[in-house]
């Protein structure tokens, strides 16, 4: 029984190592399933956070949108004047 118990403990340690290795392999496989689009989004979000440019980009996007709307309104008005 003592020999069997010792073998069981040794087998348990080997099983733990094997389980850990299987877990590592599974994690690597799961990481590889990330799509290029998702990876790009994650990288872009990390860059914005690291560089602290998130708010600047938002303000720029708002300003760009407002400028575009003003342009479209002027173009629409000029088209209306021609008709």
């Amino acid at each position: 029984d003592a020999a069997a118990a010792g073998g069981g403990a040794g087998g348990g340690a080997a099983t733990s190592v094997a389980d850990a290795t299987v877990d590592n392999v599974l994690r690597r496989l799961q990481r590889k399933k990330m799509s290029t689009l998702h990876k790009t989004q994650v990288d872009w979000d990390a860059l914005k956070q690291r560089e602290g440019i998130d708010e600047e980009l938002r303000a720029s996007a708002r300003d760009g949108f407002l400028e575009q709307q003003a342009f479209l309104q002027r173009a629409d008005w000029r088209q209306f004047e021609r008709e």
Side-chain angles (χ1 to χ4, degrees):
D1 286 344
T15 302
S16 298
V17 172
D19 288 344
T21 303
V22 170
D23 288 341
N24 289 336
V25 170
L26 287 174
R27 274 191 230 112
R28 287 182 189 161
L29 289 174
Q30 288 172 346
R31 283 188 211 139
K32 289 181 181 181
K33 290 183 181 181
M34 183 183 294
S35 71
T36 302
L37 184 61
H38 185 253
K39 172 88 169 89
T40 302
Q41 182 65 44
V42 169
D43 290 345
W44 175 241
D45 290 342
L47 176 73
K48 289 189 299 185
Q49 184 177 19
R50 184 175 62 243
E51 298 294 325
I53 60 173
D54 194 35
E55 186 57 40
E56 182 180 340
L57 289 172
R58 285 185 197 163
S60 177
R62 280 191 300 264
D63 294 343
F65 175 77
L66 295 176
E67 289 177 25
Q68 181 183 23
Q69 291 301 309
F71 169 78
L72 292 173
Q73 188 175 17
R74 288 191 309 269
D76 190 38
W77 180 252
R78 287 184 184 135
Q79 184 68 27
F80 175 75
E81 287 177 336
R82 288 183 181 177
E83 293 176 354

